[in-house]
Amino acid sequence: TITPISGAGGGGGGRNHPEGWKSQRLNAASPADVAQLASPSQGFTSLILAAPLLQPSAALIAMLPLLAPSAPFAVWCYAAQPLADALDALRSTHMAVNLTLHEPWLRKHQVLPGRTHPTMTTMAGAGGYVLSGNYIPPWARG
């Protein structure tokens, strides 16, 4: 099981916490802990991965088998190339369908009476990239 970091109980370190407060910091889960949380017959219903220090391809290959069939997943990364490599790996192994790689980008607009125009200080591409799709279990791959 996942256990709290030792000494992470409430009231420690000279901080004033409300009575009954308990820290939510946990030790990192081992792969065995994560596999134990997933029901063997059902799996997790979705996966959201936003860990800049992980290699997306390796993380997806390790985590996708824990998902239920057709479960959606999304992976965020600051650069497009690691996600493009993951996209290629998923396509070549047929582990997922509905694969998309896109850049979520938002431009603010200034709206005034009689005129509307984009705010010119918006930085393009500052939001990173997202790879998403649906997991296909080994027995359903064609």
Side-chain angles (χ1 to χ4, degrees):
T1 62
I2 302 171
T3 57
I5 294 173
S6 61
R15 296 182 182 175
N16 293 328
H17 298 293
E19 186 175 336
W21 180 86
K22 184 177 178 183
S23 174
Q24 295 299 312
R25 294 179 65 191
L26 302 175
N27 285 333
S30 70
D33 292 333
V34 175
Q36 199 173 34
L37 291 172
S39 168
S41 63
Q42 295 177 2
F44 290 109
T45 58
S46 61
L47 170 68
I48 298 174
L49 181 61
L53 299 180
L54 291 179
Q55 182 66 17
S57 297
L60 279 173
I61 299 297
M63 292 182 187
L64 284 180
L66 300 175
L67 292 176
S70 298
F73 64 89
V75 183
W76 175 89
C77 188
Y78 59 89
Q81 189 59 47
L83 291 179
D85 295 340
L87 177 68
D88 184 53
L90 291 173
R91 281 186 177 158
S92 65
T93 59
H94 304 286
M95 289 184 73
V97 294
N98 299 331
L99 292 168
T100 60
L101 176 58
H102 63 274
E103 178 183 18
W105 185 63
L106 173 69
R107 171 172 273 176
K108 295 181 181 181
H109 284 73
Q110 181 181 29
V111 179
L112 298 170
R115 56 192 163 129
T116 300
H117 62 86
T119 305
M120 302 312 282
T121 59
T122 305
M123 298 270 308
Y129 299 85
V130 176
L131 170 65
S132 62
N134 296 86
Y135 171 64
I136 302 298
W139 52 266
R141 296 177 196 158

Short mmCIF file of all heavy atoms in Angstrom, two decimals, residues 37-96:
data_model
loop_
_atom_site.label_atom_id
_atom_site.label_comp_id
_atom_site.label_asym_id
_atom_site.label_seq_id
_atom_site.Cartn_x
_atom_site.Cartn_y
_atom_site.Cartn_z
N LEU A 37 -3.76 -1.46 -7.38
CA LEU A 37 -4.93 -0.59 -7.35
C LEU A 37 -5.86 -0.83 -8.52
O LEU A 37 -7.06 -0.58 -8.44
CB LEU A 37 -4.49 0.88 -7.34
CG LEU A 37 -3.80 1.38 -6.08
CD1 LEU A 37 -3.26 2.78 -6.30
CD2 LEU A 37 -4.75 1.35 -4.91
N ALA A 38 -5.33 -1.29 -9.64
CA ALA A 38 -6.15 -1.55 -10.82
C ALA A 38 -6.80 -2.92 -10.70
O ALA A 38 -6.14 -3.91 -10.46
CB ALA A 38 -5.30 -1.50 -12.09
N SER A 39 -8.09 -2.97 -10.86
CA SER A 39 -8.81 -4.24 -10.84
C SER A 39 -8.39 -5.05 -12.07
O SER A 39 -8.43 -4.54 -13.18
CB SER A 39 -10.31 -3.98 -10.87
OG SER A 39 -11.01 -5.17 -11.13
N PRO A 40 -8.01 -6.31 -11.89
CA PRO A 40 -7.56 -7.09 -13.04
C PRO A 40 -8.63 -7.22 -14.13
O PRO A 40 -8.32 -7.29 -15.30
CB PRO A 40 -7.22 -8.45 -12.45
CG PRO A 40 -7.10 -8.25 -10.99
CD PRO A 40 -7.90 -7.04 -10.64
N SER A 41 -9.89 -7.26 -13.75
CA SER A 41 -10.94 -7.45 -14.75
C SER A 41 -11.42 -6.14 -15.35
O SER A 41 -12.00 -6.15 -16.43
CB SER A 41 -12.12 -8.18 -14.11
OG SER A 41 -12.68 -7.39 -13.08
N GLN A 42 -11.22 -5.01 -14.66
CA GLN A 42 -11.78 -3.76 -15.15
C GLN A 42 -10.72 -2.74 -15.54
O GLN A 42 -10.83 -2.11 -16.58
CB GLN A 42 -12.70 -3.15 -14.10
CG GLN A 42 -13.92 -4.00 -13.84
CD GLN A 42 -14.78 -3.41 -12.74
OE1 GLN A 42 -14.49 -2.35 -12.22
NE2 GLN A 42 -15.84 -4.11 -12.41
N GLY A 43 -9.72 -2.52 -14.74
CA GLY A 43 -8.70 -1.52 -15.03
C GLY A 43 -9.17 -0.12 -14.68
O GLY A 43 -10.32 0.11 -14.29
N PHE A 44 -8.29 0.84 -14.83
CA PHE A 44 -8.61 2.24 -14.57
C PHE A 44 -9.45 2.79 -15.72
O PHE A 44 -9.33 2.35 -16.85
CB PHE A 44 -7.33 3.07 -14.42
CG PHE A 44 -6.56 2.77 -13.16
CD1 PHE A 44 -5.36 2.10 -13.22
CD2 PHE A 44 -7.05 3.19 -11.93
CE1 PHE A 44 -4.65 1.83 -12.05
CE2 PHE A 44 -6.34 2.92 -10.77
CZ PHE A 44 -5.14 2.24 -10.83
N THR A 45 -10.29 3.77 -15.43
CA THR A 45 -11.19 4.31 -16.45
C THR A 45 -10.54 5.38 -17.30
O THR A 45 -11.08 5.72 -18.36
CB THR A 45 -12.45 4.89 -15.81
OG1 THR A 45 -12.08 5.89 -14.87
CG2 THR A 45 -13.25 3.80 -15.10
N SER A 46 -9.41 5.95 -16.88
CA SER A 46 -8.73 6.97 -17.68
C SER A 46 -7.32 7.18 -17.14
O SER A 46 -6.99 6.72 -16.05
CB SER A 46 -9.50 8.29 -17.66
OG SER A 46 -9.59 8.78 -16.34
N LEU A 47 -6.52 7.89 -17.92
CA LEU A 47 -5.15 8.20 -17.52
C LEU A 47 -4.82 9.60 -17.98
O LEU A 47 -5.05 9.95 -19.14
CB LEU A 47 -4.17 7.21 -18.17
CG LEU A 47 -2.68 7.54 -18.05
CD1 LEU A 47 -2.22 7.43 -16.60
CD2 LEU A 47 -1.86 6.62 -18.94
N ILE A 48 -4.34 10.42 -17.08
CA ILE A 48 -3.82 11.74 -17.40
C ILE A 48 -2.38 11.77 -16.90
O ILE A 48 -2.13 11.56 -15.72
CB ILE A 48 -4.64 12.87 -16.73
CG1 ILE A 48 -6.07 12.83 -17.24
CG2 ILE A 48 -4.00 14.22 -16.99
CD1 ILE A 48 -7.00 13.80 -16.56
N LEU A 49 -1.46 12.04 -17.79
CA LEU A 49 -0.04 12.01 -17.46
C LEU A 49 0.58 13.35 -17.81
O LEU A 49 0.58 13.76 -18.97
CB LEU A 49 0.65 10.89 -18.25
CG LEU A 49 2.13 10.66 -18.04
CD1 LEU A 49 2.42 10.31 -16.60
CD2 LEU A 49 2.61 9.55 -18.95
N ALA A 50 1.07 14.04 -16.79
CA ALA A 50 1.74 15.33 -16.98
C ALA A 50 2.98 15.35 -16.10
O ALA A 50 3.00 15.99 -15.06
CB ALA A 50 0.80 16.48 -16.63
N ALA A 51 3.99 14.62 -16.50
CA ALA A 51 5.22 14.49 -15.73
C ALA A 51 6.39 14.83 -16.63
O ALA A 51 6.85 13.98 -17.40
CB ALA A 51 5.35 13.08 -15.16
N PRO A 52 6.89 16.07 -16.58
CA PRO A 52 7.95 16.50 -17.51
C PRO A 52 9.23 15.68 -17.42
O PRO A 52 9.97 15.62 -18.38
CB PRO A 52 8.22 17.94 -17.11
CG PRO A 52 7.08 18.38 -16.27
CD PRO A 52 6.48 17.14 -15.69
N LEU A 53 9.50 15.03 -16.30
CA LEU A 53 10.73 14.28 -16.16
C LEU A 53 10.65 12.86 -16.69
O LEU A 53 11.66 12.18 -16.78
CB LEU A 53 11.16 14.25 -14.68
CG LEU A 53 11.43 15.63 -14.06
CD1 LEU A 53 11.83 15.49 -12.61
CD2 LEU A 53 12.50 16.37 -14.84
N LEU A 54 9.44 12.40 -17.05
CA LEU A 54 9.29 11.06 -17.60
C LEU A 54 9.35 11.09 -19.12
O LEU A 54 8.91 12.04 -19.75
CB LEU A 54 7.94 10.46 -17.18
CG LEU A 54 7.75 10.10 -15.73
CD1 LEU A 54 6.36 9.56 -15.50
CD2 LEU A 54 8.79 9.09 -15.28
N GLN A 55 9.87 10.03 -19.69
CA GLN A 55 9.85 9.86 -21.14
C GLN A 55 8.46 9.36 -21.50
O GLN A 55 8.05 8.29 -21.06
CB GLN A 55 10.93 8.87 -21.55
CG GLN A 55 11.04 8.64 -23.02
CD GLN A 55 11.51 9.87 -23.78
OE1 GLN A 55 12.04 10.81 -23.19
NE2 GLN A 55 11.30 9.87 -25.06
N PRO A 56 7.66 10.11 -22.29
CA PRO A 56 6.28 9.72 -22.56
C PRO A 56 6.11 8.33 -23.15
O PRO A 56 5.20 7.60 -22.77
CB PRO A 56 5.79 10.79 -23.53
CG PRO A 56 6.65 11.97 -23.27
CD PRO A 56 7.98 11.40 -22.89
N SER A 57 6.99 7.91 -24.06
CA SER A 57 6.87 6.59 -24.69
C SER A 57 6.96 5.48 -23.64
O SER A 57 6.10 4.60 -23.58
CB SER A 57 7.97 6.37 -25.73
OG SER A 57 7.84 7.29 -26.77
N ALA A 58 7.99 5.53 -22.83
CA ALA A 58 8.19 4.50 -21.82
C ALA A 58 7.08 4.51 -20.78
O ALA A 58 6.59 3.45 -20.35
CB ALA A 58 9.55 4.69 -21.14
N ALA A 59 6.65 5.69 -20.36
CA ALA A 59 5.58 5.79 -19.37
C ALA A 59 4.27 5.23 -19.90
O ALA A 59 3.56 4.50 -19.20
CB ALA A 59 5.40 7.25 -18.94
N LEU A 60 3.94 5.54 -21.15
CA LEU A 60 2.70 5.02 -21.73
C LEU A 60 2.74 3.50 -21.90
O LEU A 60 1.77 2.82 -21.59
CB LEU A 60 2.43 5.68 -23.07
CG LEU A 60 1.79 7.06 -22.99
CD1 LEU A 60 1.73 7.70 -24.37
CD2 LEU A 60 0.40 6.98 -22.39
N ILE A 61 3.85 2.98 -22.39
CA ILE A 61 3.97 1.53 -22.57
C ILE A 61 3.78 0.81 -21.24
O ILE A 61 3.18 -0.26 -21.17
CB ILE A 61 5.32 1.15 -23.21
CG1 ILE A 61 5.46 1.79 -24.59
CG2 ILE A 61 5.53 -0.36 -23.28
CD1 ILE A 61 4.46 1.34 -25.63
N ALA A 62 4.27 1.41 -20.15
CA ALA A 62 4.14 0.79 -18.82
C ALA A 62 2.75 0.97 -18.22
O ALA A 62 2.27 0.09 -17.53
CB ALA A 62 5.19 1.38 -17.88
N MET A 63 2.09 2.09 -18.49
CA MET A 63 0.83 2.40 -17.81
C MET A 63 -0.43 2.01 -18.59
O MET A 63 -1.46 1.76 -17.98
CB MET A 63 0.77 3.88 -17.47
CG MET A 63 1.76 4.28 -16.43
SD MET A 63 1.58 6.03 -16.04
CE MET A 63 2.96 6.28 -14.99
N LEU A 64 -0.36 1.98 -19.90
CA LEU A 64 -1.57 1.68 -20.67
C LEU A 64 -2.17 0.31 -20.35
O LEU A 64 -3.39 0.18 -20.32
CB LEU A 64 -1.30 1.82 -22.17
CG LEU A 64 -1.24 3.26 -22.69
CD1 LEU A 64 -0.97 3.26 -24.18
CD2 LEU A 64 -2.50 4.03 -22.36
N PRO A 65 -1.38 -0.74 -20.10
CA PRO A 65 -2.00 -2.03 -19.76
C PRO A 65 -2.84 -2.01 -18.47
O PRO A 65 -3.62 -2.92 -18.24
CB PRO A 65 -0.79 -2.97 -19.62
CG PRO A 65 0.24 -2.36 -20.48
CD PRO A 65 0.05 -0.87 -20.34
N LEU A 66 -2.69 -0.97 -17.66
CA LEU A 66 -3.49 -0.86 -16.44
C LEU A 66 -4.89 -0.28 -16.70
O LEU A 66 -5.71 -0.24 -15.81
CB LEU A 66 -2.77 0.01 -15.41
CG LEU A 66 -1.39 -0.48 -14.96
CD1 LEU A 66 -0.74 0.53 -14.04
CD2 LEU A 66 -1.51 -1.84 -14.29
N LEU A 67 -5.13 0.18 -17.94
CA LEU A 67 -6.40 0.81 -18.27
C LEU A 67 -7.44 -0.22 -18.71
O LEU A 67 -7.11 -1.29 -19.21
CB LEU A 67 -6.23 1.82 -19.40
CG LEU A 67 -5.42 3.07 -19.07
CD1 LEU A 67 -5.25 3.92 -20.32
CD2 LEU A 67 -6.08 3.87 -17.97
N ALA A 68 -8.70 0.15 -18.54
CA ALA A 68 -9.81 -0.65 -19.06
C ALA A 68 -9.83 -0.53 -20.58
O ALA A 68 -9.31 0.44 -21.13
CB ALA A 68 -11.12 -0.15 -18.46
N PRO A 69 -10.44 -1.50 -21.28
CA PRO A 69 -10.55 -1.39 -22.73
C PRO A 69 -11.26 -0.10 -23.14
O PRO A 69 -12.25 0.30 -22.52
CB PRO A 69 -11.37 -2.62 -23.12
CG PRO A 69 -11.13 -3.59 -22.02
CD PRO A 69 -10.97 -2.76 -20.78
N SER A 70 -10.74 0.56 -24.15
CA SER A 70 -11.28 1.82 -24.71
C SER A 70 -11.17 3.00 -23.75
O SER A 70 -11.77 4.04 -23.99
CB SER A 70 -12.73 1.65 -25.14
OG SER A 70 -12.83 0.69 -26.15
N ALA A 71 -10.41 2.87 -22.69
CA ALA A 71 -10.26 3.98 -21.74
C ALA A 71 -9.47 5.11 -22.39
O ALA A 71 -8.47 4.88 -23.08
CB ALA A 71 -9.54 3.51 -20.48
N PRO A 72 -9.90 6.36 -22.19
CA PRO A 72 -9.17 7.49 -22.77
C PRO A 72 -7.91 7.81 -21.96
O PRO A 72 -7.86 7.57 -20.75
CB PRO A 72 -10.17 8.64 -22.70
CG PRO A 72 -11.04 8.29 -21.54
CD PRO A 72 -11.11 6.79 -21.52
N PHE A 73 -6.92 8.37 -22.64
CA PHE A 73 -5.71 8.84 -21.97
C PHE A 73 -5.26 10.14 -22.62
O PHE A 73 -5.58 10.42 -23.76
CB PHE A 73 -4.59 7.79 -22.01
CG PHE A 73 -4.11 7.47 -23.39
CD1 PHE A 73 -3.08 8.19 -23.97
CD2 PHE A 73 -4.69 6.44 -24.12
CE1 PHE A 73 -2.64 7.90 -25.25
CE2 PHE A 73 -4.25 6.14 -25.40
CZ PHE A 73 -3.23 6.87 -25.97
N ALA A 74 -4.54 10.93 -21.83
CA ALA A 74 -3.97 12.18 -22.32
C ALA A 74 -2.60 12.36 -21.67
O ALA A 74 -2.43 12.11 -20.48
CB ALA A 74 -4.87 13.36 -21.98
N VAL A 75 -1.63 12.78 -22.47
CA VAL A 75 -0.26 12.99 -21.99
C VAL A 75 0.16 14.40 -22.39
O VAL A 75 0.07 14.76 -23.56
CB VAL A 75 0.72 11.97 -22.61
CG1 VAL A 75 2.11 12.16 -22.04
CG2 VAL A 75 0.23 10.56 -22.39
N TRP A 76 0.63 15.18 -21.43
CA TRP A 76 1.13 16.53 -21.69
C TRP A 76 2.65 16.51 -21.65
O TRP A 76 3.26 15.83 -20.82
CB TRP A 76 0.61 17.52 -20.66
CG TRP A 76 1.20 18.88 -20.85
CD1 TRP A 76 0.72 19.88 -21.61
CD2 TRP A 76 2.40 19.39 -20.24
NE1 TRP A 76 1.54 20.98 -21.55
CE2 TRP A 76 2.58 20.70 -20.71
CE3 TRP A 76 3.35 18.85 -19.37
CZ2 TRP A 76 3.66 21.49 -20.33
CZ3 TRP A 76 4.42 19.63 -18.99
CH2 TRP A 76 4.56 20.95 -19.47
N CYS A 77 3.26 17.28 -22.54
CA CYS A 77 4.71 17.46 -22.54
C CYS A 77 5.03 18.86 -23.06
O CYS A 77 4.29 19.40 -23.89
CB CYS A 77 5.38 16.40 -23.42
SG CYS A 77 7.18 16.39 -23.29
N TYR A 78 6.09 19.45 -22.59
CA TYR A 78 6.47 20.81 -22.99
C TYR A 78 6.98 20.86 -24.43
O TYR A 78 6.96 21.90 -25.07
CB TYR A 78 7.53 21.38 -22.05
CG TYR A 78 8.78 20.56 -21.99
CD1 TYR A 78 9.82 20.79 -22.88
CD2 TYR A 78 8.92 19.54 -21.06
CE1 TYR A 78 10.96 20.01 -22.86
CE2 TYR A 78 10.06 18.76 -21.03
CZ TYR A 78 11.08 19.00 -21.92
OH TYR A 78 12.20 18.23 -21.89
N ALA A 79 7.44 19.72 -24.97
CA ALA A 79 7.98 19.67 -26.33
C ALA A 79 7.20 18.66 -27.17
O ALA A 79 6.67 17.68 -26.64
CB ALA A 79 9.45 19.28 -26.29
N ALA A 80 7.16 18.87 -28.46
CA ALA A 80 6.39 18.00 -29.34
C ALA A 80 7.12 16.69 -29.67
O ALA A 80 6.47 15.66 -29.84
CB ALA A 80 6.06 18.74 -30.63
N GLN A 81 8.45 16.70 -29.77
CA GLN A 81 9.17 15.52 -30.25
C GLN A 81 9.00 14.29 -29.36
O GLN A 81 8.77 13.20 -29.89
CB GLN A 81 10.66 15.84 -30.43
CG GLN A 81 11.42 14.73 -31.13
CD GLN A 81 10.86 14.40 -32.50
OE1 GLN A 81 10.60 15.30 -33.30
NE2 GLN A 81 10.65 13.13 -32.77
N PRO A 82 9.08 14.39 -28.01
CA PRO A 82 8.84 13.18 -27.21
C PRO A 82 7.45 12.60 -27.42
O PRO A 82 7.27 11.38 -27.44
CB PRO A 82 9.03 13.67 -25.77
CG PRO A 82 9.88 14.88 -25.87
CD PRO A 82 9.50 15.51 -27.17
N LEU A 83 6.46 13.47 -27.62
CA LEU A 83 5.11 12.97 -27.86
C LEU A 83 4.98 12.39 -29.27
O LEU A 83 4.23 11.44 -29.48
CB LEU A 83 4.08 14.09 -27.64
CG LEU A 83 3.92 14.54 -26.20
CD1 LEU A 83 2.90 15.66 -26.11
CD2 LEU A 83 3.55 13.39 -25.29
N ALA A 84 5.69 12.94 -30.23
CA ALA A 84 5.69 12.38 -31.58
C ALA A 84 6.30 10.98 -31.57
O ALA A 84 5.81 10.07 -32.26
CB ALA A 84 6.44 13.29 -32.54
N ASP A 85 7.35 10.78 -30.79
CA ASP A 85 7.94 9.45 -30.64
C ASP A 85 6.95 8.49 -30.00
O ASP A 85 6.83 7.33 -30.41
CB ASP A 85 9.23 9.52 -29.81
CG ASP A 85 10.33 10.31 -30.49
OD1 ASP A 85 10.26 10.50 -31.72
OD2 ASP A 85 11.25 10.76 -29.77
N ALA A 86 6.23 8.95 -28.98
CA ALA A 86 5.22 8.12 -28.32
C ALA A 86 4.09 7.80 -29.29
O ALA A 86 3.59 6.67 -29.32
CB ALA A 86 4.68 8.82 -27.08
N LEU A 87 3.67 8.76 -30.08
CA LEU A 87 2.63 8.55 -31.09
C LEU A 87 3.06 7.47 -32.08
O LEU A 87 2.28 6.56 -32.39
CB LEU A 87 2.34 9.87 -31.81
CG LEU A 87 1.34 9.83 -32.95
CD1 LEU A 87 -0.06 9.56 -32.43
CD2 LEU A 87 1.36 11.15 -33.70
N ASP A 88 4.29 7.53 -32.54
CA ASP A 88 4.81 6.52 -33.46
C ASP A 88 4.84 5.14 -32.82
O ASP A 88 4.46 4.14 -33.44
CB ASP A 88 6.20 6.93 -33.94
CG ASP A 88 6.75 5.98 -34.97
OD1 ASP A 88 6.05 5.73 -35.98
OD2 ASP A 88 7.87 5.48 -34.77
N ALA A 89 5.26 5.07 -31.56
CA ALA A 89 5.31 3.79 -30.84
C ALA A 89 3.91 3.21 -30.67
O ALA A 89 3.70 2.00 -30.85
CB ALA A 89 5.98 3.97 -29.49
N LEU A 90 2.94 4.05 -30.33
CA LEU A 90 1.57 3.57 -30.15
C LEU A 90 0.97 3.10 -31.47
O LEU A 90 0.24 2.10 -31.51
CB LEU A 90 0.70 4.67 -29.53
CG LEU A 90 1.03 5.02 -28.09
CD1 LEU A 90 0.23 6.23 -27.65
CD2 LEU A 90 0.77 3.84 -27.16
N ARG A 91 1.24 3.81 -32.55
CA ARG A 91 0.72 3.40 -33.86
C ARG A 91 1.35 2.09 -34.32
O ARG A 91 0.67 1.22 -34.88
CB ARG A 91 0.98 4.48 -34.89
CG ARG A 91 0.01 5.61 -34.79
CD ARG A 91 0.19 6.59 -35.92
NE ARG A 91 -0.83 7.65 -35.83
CZ ARG A 91 -0.69 8.83 -36.37
NH1 ARG A 91 0.38 9.14 -37.06
NH2 ARG A 91 -1.65 9.72 -36.25
N SER A 92 2.64 1.92 -34.10
CA SER A 92 3.32 0.71 -34.58
C SER A 92 2.93 -0.52 -33.76
O SER A 92 2.96 -1.63 -34.29
CB SER A 92 4.84 0.90 -34.57
OG SER A 92 5.30 1.07 -33.25
N THR A 93 2.56 -0.36 -32.50
CA THR A 93 2.17 -1.50 -31.66
C THR A 93 0.65 -1.69 -31.62
O THR A 93 0.18 -2.65 -31.01
CB THR A 93 2.68 -1.32 -30.21
OG1 THR A 93 2.13 -0.11 -29.68
CG2 THR A 93 4.19 -1.29 -30.16
N HIS A 94 -0.09 -0.78 -32.22
CA HIS A 94 -1.57 -0.84 -32.25
C HIS A 94 -2.16 -0.85 -30.84
O HIS A 94 -3.18 -1.49 -30.59
CB HIS A 94 -2.06 -2.06 -33.03
CG HIS A 94 -1.52 -2.12 -34.41
ND1 HIS A 94 -1.97 -1.30 -35.41
CD2 HIS A 94 -0.53 -2.89 -34.95
CE1 HIS A 94 -1.31 -1.57 -36.52
NE2 HIS A 94 -0.42 -2.51 -36.28
N MET A 95 -1.51 -0.15 -29.90
CA MET A 95 -1.99 -0.10 -28.52
C MET A 95 -3.12 0.89 -28.32
O MET A 95 -3.76 0.88 -27.27
CB MET A 95 -0.84 0.26 -27.57
CG MET A 95 0.18 -0.82 -27.38
SD MET A 95 1.44 -0.38 -26.17
CE MET A 95 0.51 -0.53 -24.65
N ALA A 96 -3.35 1.78 -29.29
CA ALA A 96 -4.36 2.82 -29.09
C ALA A 96 -4.96 3.23 -30.44
O ALA A 96 -4.35 3.04 -31.49
CB ALA A 96 -3.74 4.03 -28.40
#
